[in-house]
Amino acid sequence: MASSNGISKRLIVESPNVKVEDGVLESRFTYRKNHFETRADGLHVIPHEHEYSFKTVLKPRKTGLLLVGLGGNNGSTATGSIFANQYGMTWRTKEGINKANYFGSITQSSTVHLGFDGNEQVYVPFKDIVPILSPNDLIISGWDINNANLYEAMGRARVFEPELQEKLRPFLEPIVPLPSIYYPDFIALNQEGRANNVIEGNNKQQHLEHIRNDIRSFKEKHQLECVIVLWTANTERFTDVKDGLNTTAQDLLASIQRNEEEISPSNIFAVASILEGAHYINGSPQNTLVPGIIELAQQNNVFVGGDDFKSGQTKFKSAFVDFLVSSGLKPESIVSYNHLGNNDGKNLSEARQFRSKEISKSNVVDDMVESNKILFPTAQNPDHCVVIKYVPYVADSKRAMDEYICSIFMGGKQTFVVHNTCEDSLLASPLIYDLAILTELASRVTYKVGDTYQPFHSVLSILSLLLKAPVVPPGTPVSNAFMRQFSTLSKLVTALAGFPSDSDMQIEFFTKLPK
Ligand SMILES: NC(=O)c1ccc[n+]([C@@H]2O[C@H](COP(=O)([O-])OP(=O)(O)OC[C@H]3O[C@@H](n4cnc5c(N)ncnc54)[C@H](O)[C@@H]3O)[C@@H](O)[C@H]2O)c1
Ligand SMILES: O=P([O-])([O-])O[C@@H]1[C@@H](O)[C@H](O)[C@@H](O)[C@H](O)[C@@H]1O
């Protein structure tokens, strides 16, 4: 059901470009894009039109979400929050009564502007534009190198108030993560004490088969139509990317068979997922999605996506820097410091794991810098510094402090100082749902611009809005500017539904538009 300004209404698209047949929504969409030619006399803009046809299976699939790192702060919080929402749980705090919600989820709590109805602007909930899963529909399980049940993990995470933890106990205590793969060299050495739930042996081919079997068993047990494996385990160090190791699917599979040291646990999970027809999403910053994994995903027609949930400090930056550059203000210095006290912070306190995070946090401004040659004629990035410190006392309540210094008019300077308390798991968990929900939606869509319907590219770049370092199809640009990413996503779902989202020109307000 759609709703306009809080009143629930069905969204019925009256258009010759839309038809529903056998549970499939077919829509035709004219995609207008400009082509360019730089010639001696200047930049020529040639508007083109491309006729797309989309087919969207209307009924969402029965979907399982397998979390790698299920016993972590994000994993236990994301799992517990679904039960809290399913049962409409409330809990007391000193501020009053809290009720479960899905705030922070784009798919569940944002709206899309469709236009003006003559009296008021029309906004429709994102989730009402085309049928999508609710997080309540997700069947969750997963793996962890630590054997704490999810009630114990929730207590360890220190995210939820005690009353809520106790209400969730009967639901979470029975959930014990499946044993996982542990290769000490890939995560911080300070994680070793946690590893008491580990698959025996050190044969990577056997580990691959073990994880594949786990995925198959989960799918059969719940009679699932769609399985998504999502990495929310610790940040790994980057792996080498080299010919003969992992730049092709064939080399990657052979490297696993040869038990190559450089094959990481997250590589194994990604390969296992793909070979079992499950989609794979990387919520952490390491470079799991090597070329061999992308090629394997394409060969098996599954989606992969990543990297690194865009949850707090970087999410703010991806909107704020866009605002600055769009305002013609030139960021000269961006210093992003944060401290956090959860296990993620502990893992990131070691150099190689921090380096993975530093990379994903640092590249977020590149597209905005490249967008403005007036401010940045040489595309020289602002000074950009990322600092992360581990301070146990603050636990999951990360404290981010940023300073932005901009050049402004006539040699002036404008300095912004931002303090941003990011409840990390409460900001990341909604993104976990969105990544799964959008991946499941994409699995129901095919398109054609010629004769044959086909799925989207295996690298699911529509997930960019939710990720710090979006992985995109080879040869395509990375977009990090938050509102442009939101626009891309909202324009796609409205096109699937069979109508263009509003152009936001609002020309009807300063011209005489015939009724
Ligand atoms: N706001 C956020 O919380 C946020 C934002 C962006 C990225 N991330 C990333 O998400 C990940 C999880 O964050 P978190 O706060 O839940 O961390 P966490 O340390 O609480 O949870 C990670 C879990 O993964 C487990 N683990 C480690 N290696 C594993 C393996 N090989 N297989 C299975 N489990 C394994 C650990 O035992 C732990 O329980 C981190 O990589 C973090 O950088 C978090
Ligand atoms: O998403 P964001 O707040 O910019 O970045 C965060 C890091 O700064 C932080 O160290 C850790 O909390 C999370 O892993 C997250 O990645």
Side-chain angles (χ1 to χ4, degrees), residues 73-74 144 180-181 194 233-235 284 308 311 343-344 357:
N73 285 22
N74 288 351
D144 204 292
S180 189
I181 305 168
R194 206 173 164 104
N234 286 128
T235 293
S284 294
D308 206 8
S311 59
N343 190 58
D344 175 30
K357 186 68 73 174

Side-chain angles (χ1 to χ4, degrees), residues 151-401:
Y151 171 68
E152 293 164 337
M154 178 175 54
R156 175 174 62 189
R158 295 163 57 191
V159 172
F160 287 147
E161 298 287 345
E163 181 178 331
L164 177 58
Q165 291 191 36
E166 290 315 307
K167 288 185 175 181
L168 287 170
R169 180 170 192 168
F171 301 96
L172 293 187
E173 198 161 40
I175 302 175
V176 178
L178 296 166
S180 189
I181 305 168
Y182 175 54
Y183 305 155
D185 185 47
F186 283 92
I187 59 175
L189 296 180
N190 63 34
Q191 297 297 309
E192 195 166 12
R194 206 173 164 104
N196 62 10
N197 193 37
V198 177
I199 299 169
E200 292 301 314
N202 57 13
N203 181 301
K204 299 191 179 186
Q205 184 62 34
Q206 287 173 5
H207 290 166
L208 173 63
E209 294 311 322
H210 187 113
I211 300 301
R212 289 187 65 177
N213 185 56
D214 287 346
I215 296 168
R216 275 198 303 276
S217 305
F218 176 69
K219 189 171 184 176
E220 285 157 16
K221 176 183 176 185
H222 296 284
Q223 291 298 291
L224 299 171
E225 297 165 297
C226 174
V227 176
I228 296 157
V229 178
L230 186 146
W231 179 278
T232 181
N234 286 128
T235 293
E236 297 176 330
R237 68 169 174 79
F238 266 44
T239 55
D240 296 341
V241 177
K242 57 186 179 187
D243 293 345
L245 176 68
N246 54 16
T247 55
T248 68
Q250 185 178 346
D251 284 351
L252 178 64
L253 296 173
S255 298
I256 293 171
Q257 284 185 334
R258 288 197 311 270
N259 221 26
E260 285 287 346
E261 282 293 308
E262 230 5 53
I263 299 296
S264 65
S266 62
N267 287 152
I268 300 280
F269 274 100
V271 170
S273 304
I274 293 165
L275 294 179
E276 289 304 320
H279 311 291
Y280 186 81
I281 308 295
N282 178 26
S284 294
Q286 73 274 354
N287 63 334
T288 303
L289 304 181
V290 293
I293 280 177
I294 291 174
E295 185 180 56
L296 191 66
Q298 287 175 292
Q299 291 170 353
N300 289 272
N301 286 320
V302 293
F303 293 123
V304 292
D307 297 320
D308 206 8
F309 310 125
K310 184 162 74 174
S311 59
Q313 188 175 41
T314 305
K315 189 172 194 172
F316 175 84
K317 186 179 294 178
S318 68
F320 189 61
V321 170
D322 190 28
F323 143 70
L324 292 172
V325 173
S326 300
S327 308
L329 301 171
K330 180 182 180 182
E332 301 276 13
S333 163
I334 302 171
V335 179
S336 293
Y337 162 92
N338 78 63
H339 62 264
L340 69 166
N342 55 22
N343 190 58
D344 175 30
K346 183 177 179 184
N347 181 65
L348 291 170
S349 67
E350 292 194 12
R352 298 185 304 171
Q353 285 65 41
F354 167 71
R355 182 60 188 144
S356 297
K357 186 68 73 174
E358 184 182 34
I359 290 168
S360 70
K361 285 175 71 78
S362 300
N363 298 336
V364 71
V365 302
D366 295 355
D367 62 317
M368 293 170 259
V369 167
E370 284 156 23
S371 75
N372 192 318
K373 294 285 185 282
I374 300 166
L375 298 175
F376 301 96
T378 62
Q380 173 65 39
N381 273 14
D383 293 344
H384 191 183
C385 171
V386 172
V387 178
I388 298 173
K389 292 299 178 189
Y390 174 52
V391 180
Y393 182 78
V394 300
D396 201 70
S397 182
K398 182 186 72 223
R399 300 342 163 82
M401 295 166 217

Side-chain angles (χ1 to χ4, degrees), residues 70-86:
L70 179 64
N73 285 22
N74 288 351
S76 56
T77 301
T79 306
S81 303
I82 287 176
F83 288 111
N85 275 282
Q86 284 174 339

